[in-house]
Amino acid sequence: MKKTVFSLFCSFVFFVFSVFATPPVSISLSYDPSKGSLHVEAVHPSFNLEKSYVRLMDVYVNGQKVSALDYFKQNDYNEFTDDVPLTVKEGDVIKVELFCTLGGDMSKELTVTKPEKGVGPT
């Protein structure tokens, strides 16, 4: 009987926390070779910027973790953005993982391509 009650309690707690987990909805990555900068934008709805925000961003290049950035607040109720200094070359694969304070997470990959000539400010 005690095992059944304990199992039900654990299931309930897991369910409650999973309902409130708010993983990012989408992630957009772009790399600017002239600045050596990775721009990260994520749609991450937050009901309270003090409690629900992107708390961690892990950045990988070709499968190797190159940075782990901690955050303590999100600047916007709907979006997380950051620019990360990063030096990569054409063909490298950048992977970004974002983690929410309430348990959700999402990742996205970008393969670095050669910049198109003639594109950009004139």
Side-chain angles (χ1 to χ4, degrees):
M1 177 69 174
K2 287 182 182 181
K3 288 181 183 179
T4 303
V5 171
F6 181 72
S7 293
L8 286 173
F9 176 75
C10 289
S11 297
F12 175 76
V13 168
F14 176 76
F15 175 75
V16 168
F17 281 109
S18 65
V19 166
F20 289 109
T22 56
V25 176
S26 66
I27 300 173
S28 175
L29 305 175
S30 59
Y31 181 71
D32 185 340
S34 66
K35 294 180 182 177
S37 180
L38 173 67
H39 181 71
V40 180
E41 289 184 21
V43 175
H44 180 258
S46 173
F47 61 89
N48 180 330
L49 293 176
E50 306 274 326
K51 294 182 180 180
S52 173
Y53 54 90
V54 172
R55 68 172 175 81
L56 174 65
M57 176 168 51
D58 287 339
V59 180
Y60 299 82
V61 176
N62 299 326
Q64 298 288 335
K65 187 187 284 191
V66 295
S67 91
L69 303 164
D70 294 310
Y71 302 90
F72 301 100
K73 192 175 180 184
Q74 192 169 299
N75 291 331
D76 184 273
Y77 280 99
N78 294 311
E79 183 179 61
F80 165 85
T81 61
D82 198 7
D83 291 304
V84 180
L86 188 65
T87 303
V88 294
K89 60 186 182 307
E90 183 181 348
D92 284 347
V93 177
I94 302 168
K95 178 181 174 183
V96 170
E97 286 184 297
L98 300 177
F99 299 87
C100 174
T101 53
L102 298 180
D105 65 86
M106 182 179 220
S107 64
K108 177 83 178 220
E109 288 187 356
L110 169 72
T111 300
V112 180
T113 58
K114 187 175 185 178
E116 295 179 32
K117 291 185 180 184
V119 176
T122 54

